[in-house]
């Protein structure tokens, strides 16, 4: 069940106070309160309060992250919005599918809906930071929706999902909770480094293969413990390959895998 | 199935070019094109084009009506939006129920989604002109949605309904088509007049009982022919009661009911 507690809205590269204010208002309309601006294009958001209309609490509690991966780091699942239905072999979810997945994944931890960037939408690279992406089907005559109106459609669907009778979710032990995207991202970065050193990835174009691997891990719905184990494993592999240049100041451990490493 | 051809959006007492432009854009987003302004509060809509973003075609084809009943007169069904879940014993539809009903009724003729008025919402009297009314469920903290965002939510749902496989609707003979709201309204006016003359309705408070009667007719989903028959019947009743004062310049017909009267 999607609630104010487990659902985060991330606005990427926000530029307009009007959009920020309107999104804050519609979040308040539908009972969501956790808003993060990632890599905002301006910090001058005067005027947002006027449009927020009782969404002030959302604006006051708003957080700012330097980048999209940073904004996502505590989430176990994120879905980004775009107008492209196919990206690098992945297929867009419908809004209803995306919202069902947000609700399902929210049992593992925090989930995020990512909107932006205001002028050209989210890039392929930015969407690759998200677990899934969605498209709101629109007419060919005018496919591009206003950001605040897209937010209204999606948050309405999220609020409807939130009204369904909650399934009895067993409360999870910390280690059984879903892997945080920050940990998964660190794992991806480490995999890239180690696999480049190992000359497994082509240094001219490492991303395609790396993403396939990352996605297979995402599909596995790793627990936090598993993600930490993977991360530790790749750290060890890097060191074992003599990659001390990749992990300066860190000596090889004398013990086996340790999730807290 | 809801299409650009059978679905009308009516904005009541529009005041802001921003709202008009945003609604035109989201109509274009979801493939709807028929927009009527009823009783607009201003005709100075400079700025709407800027926000319409490729919704120009919608703005160019836009019609203006002096009143809500006039805007509705060619429709067989209309649903108005409000924030009140109970009005005079009637219960609000959910957005999904309303959209299903719009789709179902669109097989009988044109249907309308009514939004407005911008500052205080639609009044009880204005909602009484609509066949049904709907509420978008919102949080108690901030129940009031921005008009263009409410339009986005509802038109998205309408567009989804439009994507369902069309049922094979038999093409109806003109007389079997749904009663136009203009005809039904004329019937209600005539009923009021005749029933007041007959001292059936309390002249101090005629509306409550009258509306119950009108609604029972609406529930019957009259055909256009039936509505015209009812209207003619009440005209005759009025004349028979000596109500020539109510229908000046019209003599009693020498024939029986005639839908074209």
């Amino acid at each position: 069940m999607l609630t104010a507690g487990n659902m985060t809205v991330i606005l990427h590269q926000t530029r307009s106070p009007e959009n920020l204010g309107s999104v804050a208002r519609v979040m308040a309309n539908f009972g969501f309160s956790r808003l993060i601006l990632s890599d905002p294009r301006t910090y001058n958001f005067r005027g947002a309060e006027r449009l927020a209309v009782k969404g002030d609490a959302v604006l006051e509690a708003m957080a700012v992250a330097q980048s999209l991966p940073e904004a996502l780091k505590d989430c176990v699942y994120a879905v980004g919005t775009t107008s492209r239905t196919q990206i690098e072999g992945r297929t867009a979810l419908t809004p209803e599918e995306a919202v069902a997945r947000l609700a399902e994944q929210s049992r593992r931890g925090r989930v995020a809906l990512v909107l932006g960037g205001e002028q050209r939408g989210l890039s392929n690279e930015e969407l690759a930071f998200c677990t899934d992406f969605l498209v709101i089907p629109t007419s060919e005559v005018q496919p591009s929706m206003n950001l605040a109106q897209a937010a209204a459609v999606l948050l309405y669907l999220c609020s409807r999902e939130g009204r369904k009778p909650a399934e009895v979710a067993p409360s999870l032990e910390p280690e059984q909770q879903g892997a945080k995207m920050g940990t998964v991202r660190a794992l991806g970065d480490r995999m890239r480094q180690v696999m480049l050193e190992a000359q497994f990835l082509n240094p001219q174009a490492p991303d395609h293969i790396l993403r396939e691997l990352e996605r297979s891990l995402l599909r596995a719905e790793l627990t936090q413990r598993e993600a930490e184990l993977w991360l530790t494993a790749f750290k060890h592999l890097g060191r074992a390959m003599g990659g001390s240049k990749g992990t300066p100041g860190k000596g090889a451990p004398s013990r086996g895998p340790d999730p807290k490493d």
Side-chain angles (χ1 to χ4, degrees), chain A residues 173-180 183 222-232 257-260:
Chain A
E173 296 297 317
E175 292 201 332
Q176 295 308 310
Q177 286 171 4
K180 292 180 180 172
T183 310
L222 298 180
T223 63
Q224 179 62 18
R225 174 178 167 80
E226 288 166 344
E228 287 173 358
L229 282 174
W230 272 101
L231 177 56
T232 312
D258 176 357
K260 302 291 167 242

Side-chain angles (χ1 to χ4, degrees), chain A residues 9-133:
Chain A
V9 175
I10 297 176
L11 291 186
H12 188 59
Q13 296 182 340
T14 304
R15 190 181 289 278
S16 132
E18 287 78 13
N19 277 339
L20 175 58
S22 300
V23 169
R25 176 176 177 174
V26 81
M27 285 180 68
N29 284 149
F30 293 128
F32 297 106
S33 56
R34 219 176 117 80
L35 175 62
I36 302 180
L37 298 188
S38 69
D39 188 21
R41 298 283 96 166
T42 171
Y43 286 87
N44 181 3
F45 288 122
R46 264 180 311 178
E49 297 82 0
R50 191 176 59 80
L51 280 125
V53 192
K54 294 189 193 161
D56 321 37
V58 174
L59 292 179
E60 278 159 26
M62 177 174 82
V64 175
Q66 294 303 309
S67 67
L68 186 52
E70 190 196 318
L72 288 169
K73 69 180 193 298
D74 289 332
C75 296
V76 301
Y77 176 85
V79 58
T81 52
T82 179
S83 57
R84 283 158 290 156
T85 52
Q86 288 283 336
I87 297 173
E88 296 174 356
R90 302 159 80 195
T91 302
L93 303 179
T94 66
E96 288 78 8
E97 288 168 345
V99 169
R101 210 162 286 189
L102 281 167
E104 184 190 316
Q105 296 288 328
S106 71
R107 286 184 283 168
R108 302 171 63 230
R110 273 197 179 136
V111 296
L113 175 66
V114 185
L115 294 149
E118 260 174 52
Q119 294 202 310
R120 45 165 189 75
L122 295 170
S123 70
N124 286 4
E125 194 193 352
E126 287 154 355
L127 287 168
F129 293 130
C130 301
T131 327
D132 283 315
F133 62 98

Side-chain angles (χ1 to χ4, degrees), chain A residues 121-176:
Chain A
L122 295 170
S123 70
N124 286 4
E125 194 193 352
E126 287 154 355
L127 287 168
F129 293 130
C130 301
T131 327
D132 283 315
F133 62 98
L134 73 87
V135 171
I136 301 180
T138 47
S139 152
E140 282 170 20
V141 175
Q142 166 46 304
S144 163
M145 282 190 79
N146 165 269
L147 180 74
Q149 289 178 313
V153 168
L154 297 170
L155 293 174
Y156 169 75
L157 295 175
C158 287
S159 78
R160 300 299 286 175
E161 190 71 27
R163 271 159 212 270
K164 289 185 186 169
E167 293 173 48
V168 182
S171 61
L172 297 174
E173 296 297 317
E175 292 201 332
Q176 295 308 310

